[in-house]
Amino acid sequence: MPGCPFLIRRTVESEETELLPFRPSTCETRLMRTLRCVALPLLLMTVLLESAPGQQNPRGELPVTSTPHPYVFLIRDPVVLAELRASPQQREAIAALNAELDPGLWSMRNQGAASMERRMQEMTATARARMAEILNRDQQNRLNQIELWTLGTKAFMGDDLPVRLRLSEDRRQAIRERITLANEAAAELGKQVADGQDRKQAEKKVGHLQADLQRGILKELSETQKQKWIELLGRRVDLSELGQVTFTAPKLHGASEWINSAPLSSDSLRGKVVALHFYAFGCINCQRNFPWYKQWHETYSRRGLVVLGVHTPETQREQDVESVRRAAKEKGLEYPIVIDGEKKNWDAWGNSMWPATYLIDKQGRVRAWWFGELDWQGAGGQKLLQARIEDLLKEEPEG
């Protein structure tokens, strides 16, 4: 899902970070040590994502440091809420806010980059305004610090940090150019990895790029600005602990045409684990996933799993409902299938790929996903999702 802010593969930060080659000031030494812990910009993510076969999330882990707008994800992160010492009443209010944001987060995913950027900015502004009403001043300050840690050097691409550091326009532009050039170099490394270059060597080079970028940024800052940056960051945040976030699944848009089932709704599925997959019967990649869906249905339906097919046509031939029925029967698909001829479900999810598989827990929250063939080039996605299904089935419903 190119450009999607929350469907991004988790990466491992490179350990190839060098010390400054010149004698640093005390403030510089402290800031360099700090920079080793803050989020990378898009460097390492670019290298790894360029060579990745798909942006999968079988374990429910979201690398929030990969998005330029992490705020709307941080406010749903249990680690962040614990750090803020949010009260039960505050958590309830934040949960309600997230539930309002979720439909927009899902539906924007198959829109253009410009539209997504605009909507993310709008949702972030809404979230900030609402959180200002929910949190006290100390909590807001700590949340801002966590966001700054998450952004890392990407914060210089926005307006807030440069303004708070009182950067001149020349210095600000110089830093932005350094970040842009570093990202372009990383993107080129990503292409080389995709063409077969050794991945570890590429990661090592990215580490050097990151160290060079950090040194370059420090050269553009005065001692006062460096100290101010440290103060704005506050105490350290363990970024590796972030990302265990969930999203409410889009409401199921029913239709008059269902296969193997009476019409279902999101409410009727509450308390069940749902393996929802988008497909088109003529799609060969979709067909290669059918054995796994059938196996899950046969193995787990008595334990509370609902495998739910959403047939969204890709071709004119696939618009014909009777053809969908015949194809389902021929392939032995005996689980519920909803005909999504008008693409209402497709658009609600912001989906853009056949096939796509999502796991929804008993509370109606999306906990994992996989795009494309589950076992593409031996990826073993069917095993990873099956293990996740078993975990979700063991969970007790809340409330």
Side-chain angles (χ1 to χ4, degrees):
M1 308 285 284
C4 177
F6 65 102
L7 303 187
I8 307 175
R9 174 178 268 182
R10 178 176 289 277
T11 61
V12 180
E13 294 187 7
S14 173
E15 297 179 355
E16 297 292 330
T17 304
E18 299 176 337
L19 291 175
L20 291 167
F22 53 87
R23 176 173 293 177
S25 65
T26 302
C27 184
E28 268 178 342
T29 300
R30 183 180 176 190
L31 192 47
M32 279 300 292
R33 289 172 179 168
T34 299
L35 285 175
R36 294 182 183 183
C37 303
V38 300
L40 298 175
L42 299 182
L43 296 178
L44 184 56
M45 276 61 76
T46 300
V47 169
L48 297 183
L49 288 175
E50 286 289 338
S51 60
Q55 298 166 0
Q56 318 299 8
N57 183 15
R59 297 183 180 88
E61 298 173 343
L62 178 69
V64 293
T65 59
S66 299
T67 172
H69 302 288
Y71 193 89
V72 293
F73 308 119
L74 292 174
I75 62 174
R76 67 185 68 228
D77 195 302
V79 173
V80 174
L81 297 182
E83 181 72 20
L84 298 180
R85 297 182 180 179
S87 68
Q89 294 78 12
Q90 287 176 321
R91 288 173 180 265
E92 184 177 349
I94 295 170
L97 168 60
N98 287 328
E100 292 179 23
L101 296 174
D102 284 343
L105 285 172
W106 285 115
S107 63
M108 74 177 182
R109 297 186 310 142
N110 59 9
Q111 299 183 11
S115 175
M116 289 179 61
E117 173 67 17
R118 183 180 67 257
R119 293 185 65 181
M120 281 300 295
Q121 290 180 358
E122 292 171 353
M123 282 189 282
T124 298
T126 297
R128 289 189 193 281
R130 293 279 293 278
M131 290 297 286
E133 299 173 354
I134 297 171
L135 302 179
N136 62 41
R137 183 169 298 179
D138 288 341
Q139 290 172 317
Q140 291 180 56
N141 182 57
R142 184 55 181 155
L143 180 55
N144 291 336
Q145 291 175 345
I146 295 172
E147 181 186 22
L148 195 56
W149 277 90
T150 305
L151 285 169
T153 51
K154 294 197 301 293
F156 285 98
M157 302 301 284
D159 294 326
D160 185 64
L161 182 60
V163 168
R164 299 186 75 175
L165 295 183
R166 297 185 178 180
L167 279 177
S168 68
E169 187 58 36
D170 289 345
R171 295 292 185 183
R172 180 176 181 178
Q173 186 60 32
I175 291 175
R176 286 183 168 182
E177 288 177 359
R178 289 179 184 275
I179 294 175
T180 299
L181 289 173
N183 279 326
E184 290 174 352
E188 181 59 32
L189 284 173
K191 293 177 183 178
Q192 294 174 16
V193 171
D195 292 337
Q197 179 175 306
D198 182 75
R199 193 183 189 90
K200 290 187 178 295
Q201 283 296 319
E203 291 179 13
K204 184 176 181 179
K205 291 178 181 178
V206 167
H208 289 299
L209 281 173
Q210 174 68 9
D212 289 343
L213 175 62
Q214 292 173 352
R215 287 193 293 265
I217 290 175
L218 292 182
K219 288 180 180 179
E220 304 293 343
L221 302 179
S222 68
E223 290 298 310
T224 300
Q225 289 167 332
K226 294 168 189 173
Q227 183 61 45
K228 181 63 174 178
W229 192 8
I230 290 175
E231 293 174 359
L232 291 174
L233 284 167
R235 66 180 181 275
R236 179 178 175 178
V237 177
D238 186 352
L239 298 177
S240 67
E241 296 295 322
L242 300 179
Q244 298 291 334
V245 297
T246 62
F247 307 86
T248 304
K251 290 288 186 181
L252 180 62
H253 289 274
S256 58
E257 298 291 346
W258 281 76
I259 300 174
N260 302 324
S261 173
L264 300 175
S265 67
S266 297
D267 290 340
S268 68
L269 291 170
R270 194 59 57 90
K272 302 281 188 179
V273 175
V274 180
L276 181 149
H277 73 91
F278 287 92
Y279 82 106
F281 73 77
C283 165
I284 186 61
N285 305 99
C286 301
Q287 293 174 22
R288 289 172 181 157
N289 278 357
F290 288 168
W292 314 119
Y293 301 145
K294 291 165 62 177
Q295 178 183 326
W296 297 346
H297 173 67
E298 294 166 1
T299 305
Y300 299 111
S301 60
R302 294 179 182 176
R303 293 175 52 187
L305 174 72
V306 176
V307 178
L308 175 57
V310 181
H311 185 274
T312 308
E314 183 178 11
T315 66
Q316 186 63 38
R317 173 170 168 259
E318 291 162 344
Q319 291 277 358
D320 181 62
V321 175
E322 290 308 311
S323 295
V324 180
R325 292 183 183 278
R326 283 194 301 271
K329 186 175 182 179
E330 290 171 0
K331 297 298 182 180
L333 307 183
E334 299 179 349
Y335 48 79
I337 296 171
V338 59
I339 305 298
D340 191 37
E342 297 180 0
K343 293 192 173 183
K344 290 183 178 180
N345 289 291
W346 179 275
D347 288 338
W349 282 84
N351 202 60
S352 63
M353 181 180 294
W354 293 271
T357 310
Y358 302 89
L359 299 185
I360 306 169
D361 69 14
K362 297 174 184 178
Q363 281 67 242
R365 301 172 304 202
V366 180
R367 302 285 291 276
W369 52 76
W370 191 279
F371 303 113
E373 291 183 27
L374 291 165
D375 202 29
W376 174 256
Q377 296 182 338
Q382 74 280 10
K383 296 178 181 178
L384 294 172
L385 289 190
Q386 181 167 326
R388 195 71 172 134
I389 288 171
E390 292 179 351
D391 290 340
L392 296 178
L393 287 171
K394 293 174 184 176
E395 292 182 353
E396 293 295 331
E398 295 180 359

